[in-house]
Amino acid sequence: LKAADLIQFLEKPIYDEALVLFLETHNFSTKKFPKKERRRSLSTRSANVTSKLHGVELRLGFDGLEIILTEIVFFKPQSDGLQAVYEIEYPFGLHLNQKIDEYSTLLGETVGFIEPHYHSYILKNYAVSIFFDPDDQYKRAKKIEISLKNSLT
């Protein structure tokens, strides 16, 4: 799965034919997607669909009455004991377990507050947050979150 191809679907409706085809082609189940008929309610403004085998979480939100892909989270894939994990080609030259000093080389300067467990960056049209274990002396990436930068405002 090429993450660079997946992130092009950010802010698109989750029932977009190209997105559904992309996910199904890469063995990502869409069965847990909210029903098309679901309407925005006060108690459910977002939903998440996770594939541990892929190491991908799709965060969904609402644009009016339409359910859209608002953020993609990448983490270490985990086997279910029956199936092998899928390989992910991460965007922007990133990979998990990357050391903290490599982030600025790839992503530029951090934006916002520098927290002990994550750093945020703006690269092209994307907001990228890198999460790591603050107790790890090398501060290697454990999770990468990507959204469109305009969704931050």
Side-chain angles (χ1 to χ4, degrees), residues 90-108:
Y90 299 100
F92 316 126
L94 297 171
H95 57 84
L96 294 177
N97 292 321
Q98 202 160 20
K99 294 179 183 176
I100 194 169
D101 58 350
E102 297 174 43
Y103 308 143
S104 60
T105 303
L106 295 168
L107 301 171

Side-chain angles (χ1 to χ4, degrees), residues 76-122:
K76 182 180 178 184
Q78 301 168 353
S79 174
D80 61 3
L82 301 173
Q83 303 174 66
V85 298
Y86 294 96
E87 282 192 38
I88 302 264
E89 185 179 317
Y90 299 100
F92 316 126
L94 297 171
H95 57 84
L96 294 177
N97 292 321
Q98 202 160 20
K99 294 179 183 176
I100 194 169
D101 58 350
E102 297 174 43
Y103 308 143
S104 60
T105 303
L106 295 168
L107 301 171
E109 294 296 316
T110 60
V111 296
F113 296 105
I114 295 178
E115 298 290 336
H117 63 287
Y118 76 91
H119 290 177
S120 296
Y121 304 86
I122 299 293

Side-chain angles (χ1 to χ4, degrees), residues 11-40:
E11 300 296 322
K12 302 272 191 244
I14 62 168
Y15 291 103
D16 178 88
E17 286 182 37
L19 172 59
V20 171
L21 179 61
F22 177 84
L23 293 172
E24 289 174 350
T25 300
H26 291 91
N27 302 309
F28 193 106
S29 175
T30 58
K31 291 179 182 176
K32 292 185 180 178
F33 276 12
K35 303 226 182 302
K36 279 186 180 182
E37 303 80 37
R38 181 175 172 180
R39 296 291 184 250
R40 185 176 185 168

